[in-house]
Amino acid sequence: MTEYETILVDRKGRVGIITLNRPKALNALNTELMTEVVAAAKAFDRDPEIGCLVVTGSEKAFAAGADIKEMQENAFPEVYLDDWLAPWDELSRLRKPVVAAVAGYALGGGCELAMLCDILIAADTAKFGQPEIKLGVIPGIGGSQRLTRAVGKAKAMELCLTGRMMGAEEAERAGLVSRIVPADELLAEAMATAETVAAMSAPAAVMMKESVNRAFETTLAEGVRFERRLFHAAFATADQKEGMAAFAEKRPAEFTNR
Ligand code: CAA
């Protein structure tokens, strides 16, 4: 497996695990970490033996944001011409589902990275926020857009304009988080969820993710039409025949991802 400096990469069965690993900087997202996360995620996405990804951090921090010390001297022409931070967008194009397992701080780019994932499971210690305004900037990896879609305008405006952090319970109430678990069970719960997803028919899981994501990109009528086309396409898979035969025969399905 490729060696990385700022992340740990592991696999368990059909689940690929990426652990952010800059503990001294609370997993601040510097350019090297961005490059490595994107490379590792894309490698898992291409790997037919992997069905689902987990992205996690440490007990204290999922990630405390973009690396402030790295970016403080940045100048407009360079960041603009480089379209700096755009590589993170590649995570939104991953085809396989990604589970974010968040404990501790998920601030700024850390909150944005969690929101780039598909299922967000939070430890009871998780704290979410977009504090960029306190640094004289605004979010740059989609925070103002994805947070607003997840929690609505009122709460997104308040969090983004004041930089206030919200705890796991508030985040779950607001719809940002799918589930809260005790901190010491976070990884096990995230892995169990990822293993469940990875055991589904891979084509169905990819269709499912694509279809849910479509809800954010189009009108209801177009989204329903898109879903129906993929639903029809699912009948071209061997897994549809297997899944339905298994139900009729009262046995577990054995998907072949075909
Ligand atoms: N960038 C660089 N270094 C960071 C960092 C960041 N985002 N967050 C924490 N660190 C570093 C600290 O500088 C410190 O390093 P030293 O020991 O060398 O001083 C180390 O991590 C530990 O941090 P603290 O001592 O501050 O830990 P704490 O427990 O007292 O506080 C915290 C934790 C509240 C998360 C605090 O570290 C903090 O406020 N961090 C910054 C959060 C932030 O503003 N994030 C947004 C960044 S901008 C962004 O993300 C833009 C975007 O949209 C892409």
Side-chain angles (χ1 to χ4, degrees):
M1 214 176 268
T2 320
E3 287 295 314
Y4 296 104
E5 295 293 324
T6 62
I7 58 173
L8 304 172
V9 171
D10 198 4
R11 54 169 68 212
K12 293 211 167 76
R14 287 182 49 77
V15 178
I17 309 155
I18 298 174
T19 305
L20 310 185
N21 189 33
R22 295 188 70 213
K24 288 186 187 144
L26 300 184
N27 292 331
L29 312 172
N30 64 4
T31 303
E32 186 179 22
L33 183 141
M34 169 175 70
T35 308
E36 293 190 346
V37 169
V38 170
K42 286 172 77 175
F44 280 140
D45 205 40
R46 283 191 302 269
D47 186 337
E49 300 304 316
I50 293 292
C52 189
L53 281 66
V54 169
V55 177
T56 193
S58 70
E59 227 172 87
K60 181 159 185 202
F62 178 73
D67 192 315
I68 300 167
K69 293 166 191 167
E70 183 191 62
M71 71 180 154
Q72 64 180 354
E73 299 303 333
N74 281 355
F76 170 76
E78 289 93 70
V79 293
Y80 180 64
L81 290 173
D82 287 353
D83 202 7
W84 183 59
L85 296 181
W88 285 114
D89 297 344
E90 298 206 38
L91 298 188
S92 67
R93 292 190 282 275
L94 297 174
R95 297 176 64 71
K96 290 172 186 165
V98 185
V99 177
V102 176
Y105 297 111
L107 301 177
C111 187
E112 294 170 298
L113 172 56
M115 292 190 293
L116 273 163
C117 300
D118 303 306
I119 299 177
L120 206 168
I121 300 181
D124 46 15
T125 59
K127 289 189 182 65
F128 299 89
Q130 298 290 160
E132 289 87 346
I133 195 154
K134 295 195 206 165
L135 302 167
V137 293
I138 69 169
I141 318 174
S144 65
Q145 305 303 299
R146 291 196 179 89
L147 187 66
T148 307
R149 280 167 166 78
V151 307
K153 177 177 167 180
K155 197 175 279 289
M157 275 290 188
E158 193 227 340
L159 291 170
C160 290
L161 283 171
T162 65
R164 178 174 76 81
M165 290 186 226
M166 69 174 162
E169 279 191 19
E170 184 179 352
E172 187 190 32
R173 260 197 326 271
L176 178 65
V177 158
S178 74
R179 211 143 53 80
I180 304 176
V181 299
D184 57 0
E185 292 166 25
L186 175 66
L187 199 57
E189 289 286 341
M191 283 301 296
T193 301
E195 279 158 10
T196 301
V197 173
M200 302 299 175
S201 157
V206 172
M207 285 178 191
M208 193 73 257
K209 168 170 168 163
E210 212 181 355
S211 195
V212 172
N213 277 336
R214 197 70 170 201
F216 293 97
E217 305 287 352
T218 190
T219 62
L220 178 61
E222 277 308 310
V224 170
R225 192 177 143 85
F226 181 82
E227 178 197 78
R228 184 136 320 121
R229 293 294 168 261
L230 285 181
F231 172 68
H232 293 156
F235 286 83
T237 66
D239 283 346
Q240 173 268 323
K241 300 288 176 288
E242 166 61 12
M244 294 190 183
F247 175 80
E249 292 159 19
K250 301 189 188 300
R251 60 171 175 82
E254 283 184 33
F255 293 123
T256 54
N257 302 326
R258 286 284 171 265

